[in-house]
Amino acid sequence: MKTVTLIGKPGCHLCDDARRTVAEICAETGHAWEEKDITQDPALHDAYWEQIPVVLVDGAQHDFWRVDPKRLRSALGA
C-alpha cells in the first residue's frame, strides 16, 4: 500500500483539480492519500511554494502543477 500526499494551499484552483484527481485514483486503486497545507507548515512552504500543487508518492516527489492521471496510476501499480 502506497501513500499519496498532496501539498497545496487553500484557494488554489490547480490544487482543487489535483485533489479531485488524487482522490479519484486513490479510491480506484485502494491506496491512501493525505493533504498538507503549505500555509500551515513553514518547511513545506519553503520547499514547494513555487510548485504547488505537488504530489508525493511514499514521500518522493512525483508531480507538480498538474497531476497526470495515467502517470499516477502507473506509479501506484495500477
Side-chain angles (χ1 to χ4, degrees):
M1 179 70 69
K2 295 183 180 185
T3 300
V4 178
T5 303
L6 173 62
I7 301 170
K9 70 177 184 176
C12 166
H13 73 280
L14 290 177
C15 299
D16 294 340
D17 292 345
R19 184 180 304 107
R20 282 188 290 273
T21 302
V22 167
E24 178 182 312
I25 292 170
C26 286
E28 288 173 8
T29 62
H31 292 279
W33 76 282
E34 63 184 359
E35 188 167 359
K36 295 188 179 183
D37 180 350
I38 65 164
T39 67
Q40 302 300 313
D41 186 323
L44 288 177
H45 182 273
D46 290 347
Y48 298 115
W49 71 275
E50 290 184 323
Q51 298 178 339
I52 63 165
V54 174
V55 174
L56 311 177
V57 176
D58 283 343
Q61 188 167 339
H62 174 74
D63 261 332
F64 63 96
W65 293 336
R66 301 212 184 264
V67 180
D68 180 331
K70 185 175 181 178
R71 188 167 178 268
L72 181 55
R73 281 186 184 94
S74 178
L76 296 174

